[in-house]
Amino acid sequence: MRKSLRVAAVGAACAVAGAALYGTGVATAGQSTANSTHEPYNIGVLVKDIDTYYGTTLDSNGVYQASATSRYAEDLARLETDARRHIDKAAHQARHRGEKPAVVFDIDDTLLLSLDYEKKTNYTYNSATWASYVAQADRPAVFGTPELVAYAKSKGVEVFYNSGLKESQRADAVANLKKVGADVNLDSAHMFLKDAANPPAYLSSCATAAAWNCTTVQYKAGTRKHIESLGYDIVANFGDQYSDLDGGYADKTYKLPNPTYFVS
């Protein structure tokens, strides 16, 4: 479930204040969603902090963009530098063990930036406005991540996508990813989207055609387990939410910065 800024204000404030949340390691570290007995972080100040973090500007087309010189961009660059080193080394080790190395990427705010949507909806989620926004297939890239996709491919690492987008949004997602240069393995065998009407057998413990009851962690971890069952070793898993990363089936996780919303 995607939750609004107001629900996640304390956790988001911590995300803005500390780059430690954006590193690698245990996926649940540093994230709090519990109600506090203290006065929460002031939401007006928080929004200003988020804008400062992204270096948010309104371009000539009326679209909110992040700045390439922002703290957000700097945090991404550090993470991606580490990821390239890890992919290079882990891919070599996996092949030495006779395994097929793979990487897994979330899409929303991991490859495609949704800052403009968040700003224009006052950081609140609505399924209809979100669907309309995705259908435009015109989101900018998250700085450096399409290049990271290409880097993994150049090292002989298989690229997969594991997204909470709906199956009905596949064509829009593919078009947008191609537009930003993440044009690698954009077929149904590599891009896993949420198909509530026809869920895959490997999610049968929580999803059937009659009812989808998978949590985000169950869905994403179950999909990674399926990928590894095909003979791949997932050497790195990338996402902007801890729920993208929890549940295992990846040698290393990379939490990308996103102080604008929280997905449980």
Side-chain angles (χ1 to χ4, degrees):
M1 178 183 297
R2 183 166 170 171
K3 299 187 179 180
S4 73
L5 174 70
R6 287 167 178 78
V7 174
V10 175
C14 292
V16 173
L21 293 186
Y22 309 143
T24 62
V26 179
T28 53
Q31 183 149 354
S32 172
T33 60
N35 291 328
S36 173
T37 57
H38 303 289
E39 180 181 358
Y41 195 88
N42 184 280
I43 196 165
V45 176
L46 175 57
V47 169
K48 290 180 180 178
D49 283 352
I50 290 173
D51 282 339
T52 299
Y53 178 68
Y54 281 103
T56 307
T57 57
L58 194 64
D59 69 16
S60 59
N61 295 317
V63 176
Y64 286 103
Q65 301 279 4
S67 168
T69 59
S70 64
R71 176 65 182 275
Y72 170 67
E74 291 173 357
D75 285 344
L76 285 169
R78 281 192 292 270
L79 182 150
E80 289 155 5
T81 296
D82 180 82
R84 285 172 182 253
R85 286 195 296 260
H86 172 71
I87 288 171
D88 195 12
K89 181 179 179 180
H92 175 76
Q93 292 175 336
R95 282 191 289 267
H96 183 72
R97 295 191 299 266
E99 298 170 335
K100 298 183 294 185
V103 289
V104 174
F105 288 87
D106 171 53
I107 295 177
D108 299 328
D109 292 293
T110 298
L111 291 167
L112 302 176
L113 183 65
S114 304
L115 179 62
D116 185 60
Y117 175 82
E118 300 301 334
K119 289 286 292 179
K120 290 176 178 175
T121 60
N122 196 28
Y123 302 94
T124 58
Y125 173 75
N126 173 278
S127 59
T129 60
W130 173 249
S132 177
Y133 178 69
V134 171
Q136 295 173 27
D138 198 30
R139 282 185 277 174
V142 171
F143 296 128
T145 53
E147 291 82 1
L148 197 56
V149 168
Y151 181 80
K153 179 184 178 183
S154 74
K155 295 297 179 178
V157 177
E158 199 77 2
V159 175
F160 291 91
Y161 307 89
N162 189 9
S163 172
L165 289 171
K166 296 178 180 179
E167 178 61 34
S168 60
Q169 296 170 314
R170 179 177 295 276
D172 299 324
V174 169
N176 206 155
L177 289 169
K178 286 182 176 180
K179 190 176 292 186
V180 301
D183 192 3
V184 176
N185 293 353
L186 299 179
D187 56 90
S188 59
H190 292 83
M191 182 185 289
F192 295 91
L193 305 182
K194 190 177 290 185
D195 190 351
N198 297 288
Y202 60 80
L203 294 178
S204 60
S205 64
C206 61
T208 66
W212 179 286
N213 295 310
C214 298
T215 65
T216 301
V217 173
Q218 286 175 316
Y219 162 57
K220 295 214 165 186
T223 300
R224 292 193 303 274
K225 181 180 180 181
H226 169 68
I227 291 169
E228 292 206 330
S229 75
L230 301 176
Y232 293 97
D233 172 31
I234 298 175
V235 299
N237 180 30
F238 298 86
D240 66 290
Q241 302 291 318
Y242 290 103
S243 55
D244 295 329
L245 310 174
D246 272 343
Y249 303 103
D251 298 342
K252 191 168 185 178
T253 62
Y254 286 89
K255 169 67 173 68
L256 278 68
N258 181 1
T260 65
Y261 62 85
F262 168 67
V263 179
S264 60

